[in-house]
Amino acid sequence: MKLTNEYLLGIQKIVEQKNPAEPEFHQAVKEVLMSLQPVVEKNPKYIESGVIERLIEPERQIMFRVPWLDDSGKIQVNRGFRIQFNSAIGPYKGGLRFHPTVNLGVIKFLGFEQIFKNSLTTLPMGGGKGGSDFNPKGKSDGEIQRFCQSFMTELYRHIGPDTDVPAGDINVGAREIGYLFGQYKRITNTFTGVLTGKGLQFGGSLARTEATGYGLCYFTENMLQANGKSFEGQTVVISGAGNVAIYANEKATALGAKVVAMCDSNGYIYDKNGVDLAAIKQIKEVERKRITEYLKYHPEAEYHEGCKGIWTIPCDIALPCATQNEIDEESAKALAANGCYCVCEGSNMPSTPGAIDVYFENKMLYGPAKAANAGGVAVSGLEMSQNSERLSWSFEKVDKKLQGIMKNIFDNCEARAEEYGMPGNYMAGANIAGFLKVADAMIAQGI
Ligand code: NDP
């Protein structure tokens, strides 16, 4: 797919000129603009209202200093971010990422994608994202706690249950959300649903931990079935070994697939007998160790340094669940050459534009992240509902709602792709469906 529409090319130019050195943000915007070409050609109101010029500019960008004391008593300083991108359809909502690669451009790409993702869920949530360049690897529990407290000591003044509701993302799980919530409560003297992904004892939702991975598999299964296939009997490769990857593995296996590989940022394991998920959970969730430890449980499996090689393993279905741009053109070609016919994205923007071209050239089924991984934020939305009514729903009730939401998202992507003349292009369908709701709300609310 190419961006040829003059008006949208002009917008892309503005984005690149006004936001230099933010390649991930440029990439995320370009993908959406490409999909919107038939929309603006058919509906001039989206040009006349200046809605796209407004969408690409965050409503508010917050950057702040996060000083904290390490275990040796030395002062460390990190940078914190919260991008409140768009509140047309609800309070800002989106995760916090703690990773040394975090910078303004990364948080902006994630916040921009979140607008469309949240819209697709049909729940009333605007788009936002935040995080820090803090590297939690090798830090003690006390250091993590002090960092989270310092981070929230600034962030608290910008968020609230009806304003902006952060959640987890890479390296921000139940432990970090607990420390962030505790500090918010202490500073504001309120007990509110200001964060999602909370512990079950203090307002968390059952099935939130599983939601992104399970939701990814529900979306994938819908996409497979619409094309006469299913997970049953298929060989699957999953990158990552974190929250999304673990629960994607669990659900794909429950749906009859065999997951043969997973990775962390050091390397990947290949277990032709099927990855032993209990061992992965023990290594990653309990011990917080490296994936190479898997060989202690299964010496017959293989471990390879580096992550890229995971995409050379023959499989039917690939579920990237680690990080952005993890599948480049070369890896996509390797997947296609080895028989992979379906890529469905758990991580945000895991495929480079070159990789996406390869999927389409090879007529592979392609489930884009903002639709396929929307299950996490959808259950976060359900956590907000439970907090508002001060009730907790059963796992089964939340999971059933999640299944319904993911089916609805798939149907919507399929229908919008068809309506705008791109049948089977779920990427375009997701971008268009997500855009229409937000754009119409923005137009209705005036500038
Ligand atoms: P986690 O921190 O739980 O896990 C991330 C996993 O990816 C880890 O195994 C990590 O390895 C690996 N990883 C990170 N960076 C790289 C890299 N550069 N190369 C290879 N592997 C890497 O995060 P999540 O599972 O929560 O998030 C994974 C992806 O899913 C992210 O893109 C996130 O934005 C997206 N997502 C998450 C949602 C959620 O609900 N959690 C919701 C929607 C999307 P290591 O431990 O070595 O760093």
Side-chain angles (χ1 to χ4, degrees):
M1 216 192 234
K2 291 249 171 312
L3 184 57
T4 52
N5 179 285
E6 281 298 317
Y7 165 70
L8 294 174
L9 274 168
I11 298 216
Q12 182 68 23
K13 207 166 157 201
I14 295 173
V15 169
E16 290 173 14
Q17 279 173 350
K18 279 179 96 171
N19 308 281
E22 295 178 12
E24 293 89 355
F25 180 48
H26 305 166
Q27 183 183 337
V29 172
K30 192 168 184 183
E31 185 207 289
V32 170
L33 296 183
M34 281 192 302
S35 303
L36 293 183
Q37 295 182 109
V39 178
V40 295
E41 279 155 19
K42 203 165 154 186
N43 308 290
K45 72 171 177 180
Y46 294 122
I47 299 180
E48 288 150 15
S49 58
V51 76
I52 303 177
E53 286 89 335
R54 288 187 272 151
L55 253 175
I56 53 160
E57 191 65 28
E59 290 175 12
R60 196 171 296 110
Q61 309 189 44
I62 302 149
M63 284 171 68
F64 51 99
R65 181 174 65 196
V66 190
W68 55 282
L69 269 185
D70 70 17
D71 285 346
S72 69
K74 192 163 175 270
I75 295 165
Q76 302 286 342
V77 180
N78 286 98
R79 182 171 287 176
F81 302 88
R82 187 71 185 166
I83 305 295
Q84 299 179 332
F85 226 114
N86 193 293
S87 61
I89 62 168
Y92 309 106
K93 181 92 197 81
L96 299 171
R97 175 179 292 191
F98 294 166
H99 198 271
T101 57
V102 161
N103 57 41
L104 184 60
V106 166
I107 298 297
K108 274 166 73 177
F109 113 67
L110 290 162
F112 183 72
E113 296 249 302
Q114 199 82 42
I115 303 170
F116 305 92
K117 182 187 309 195
N118 294 2
S119 165
L120 284 168
T121 66
T122 71
L123 302 173
M125 299 181 290
K129 198 83 187 186
S132 173
D133 58 0
F134 173 70
N135 185 1
K137 260 196 204 123
K139 302 287 187 300
S140 70
D141 195 64
E143 289 176 322
I144 301 276
Q145 183 171 156
R146 289 194 293 281
F147 174 80
C148 288
Q149 289 174 339
S150 178
F151 186 85
M152 185 53 85
T153 301
E154 172 58 33
L155 186 68
Y156 88 95
R157 66 189 88 246
H158 308 290
I159 62 176
D162 296 316
T163 311
D164 184 354
V165 184
D169 190 78
I170 291 181
N171 289 327
V172 179
R175 173 179 62 166
E176 291 74 20
I177 294 290
Y179 294 148
L180 291 163
F181 180 80
Q183 184 71 350
Y184 182 89
K185 183 167 66 66
R186 175 185 293 133
I187 297 174
T188 62
N189 195 28
T190 55
F191 191 109
T192 64
V194 70
L195 290 153
T196 57
K198 299 184 290 297
L200 295 177
Q201 314 84 347
F202 52 96
S205 173
L206 285 162
R208 174 61 188 92
T209 306
E210 295 83 356
T212 310
Y214 278 23
L216 169 65
C217 291
Y218 296 146
F219 183 94
T220 309
E221 185 71 354
N222 276 289
M223 182 168 72
L224 291 168
Q225 285 183 1
N227 291 277
K229 298 182 184 300
S230 88
F231 264 118
E232 186 65 47
Q234 304 299 284
T235 300
V236 177
V237 165
I238 299 181
S239 64
N243 173 262
V244 181
I246 285 175
Y247 292 96
N249 181 330
E250 188 164 286
K251 186 52 74 177
T253 306
L255 290 170
K258 181 160 87 170
V259 178
V260 294
M262 294 181 82
C263 74
D264 61 18
S265 56
N266 290 90
Y268 68 94
I269 51 139
Y270 171 54
D271 188 339
K272 62 179 184 335
N273 301 318
V275 171
D276 171 2
L277 192 58
I280 295 285
K281 283 186 177 178
Q282 178 65 24
I283 296 162
K284 288 294 174 186
E285 293 185 334
V286 181
E287 296 169 11
R288 295 180 188 270
K289 287 192 172 154
R290 311 313 301 158
I291 205 164
T292 179
E293 298 279 318
Y294 186 83
L295 296 190
K296 288 192 181 150
Y297 296 80
H298 293 278
E300 73 287 359
E302 295 172 22
Y303 173 75
H304 299 269
E305 278 292 320
C307 309
K308 210 174 151 165
I310 198 169
W311 308 119
T312 62
I313 297 171
C315 66
D316 302 303
I317 299 168
L319 303 177
C321 295
T323 193
Q324 65 269 11
N325 290 329
E326 52 177 311
I327 305 183
D328 60 11
E329 187 175 339
E330 187 190 350
S331 297
K333 283 183 177 158
L335 281 168
N338 286 322
C340 174
Y341 65 83
C342 172
V343 178
C344 206
E345 299 178 335
S347 40
N348 284 307
M349 207 169 74
S351 308
T352 65
I356 296 172
D357 287 343
V358 172
Y359 305 154
F360 286 125
E361 280 158 20
N362 287 276
K363 302 204 170 11
M364 291 160 81
L365 297 176
Y366 170 48
K370 57 172 84 65
N373 74 19
V377 74
V379 172
S380 277
L382 301 180
E383 182 173 327
M384 289 164 75
S385 302
Q386 293 169 75
N387 292 164
S388 296
E389 59 178 25
R390 299 190 193 282
L391 288 173
S392 318
W393 303 342
S394 68
F395 188 98
E396 291 68 30
K397 176 169 173 171
V398 178
D399 188 39
K400 196 144 189 264
K401 281 187 183 288
L402 172 63
Q403 290 182 42
I405 289 170
M406 297 315 295
K407 175 165 184 356
N408 186 53
I409 293 175
F410 175 74
D411 291 347
N412 202 357
C413 294
E414 189 179 41
R416 293 291 88 76
E418 188 100 33
E419 181 184 341
Y420 284 92
M422 296 175 274
N425 183 339
Y426 307 121
M427 175 184 85
N431 287 328
I432 294 169
F435 168 79
L436 290 176
K437 182 176 173 190
V438 175
D440 289 342
M442 288 173 75
I443 293 169
Q445 291 170 25
I447 57 168

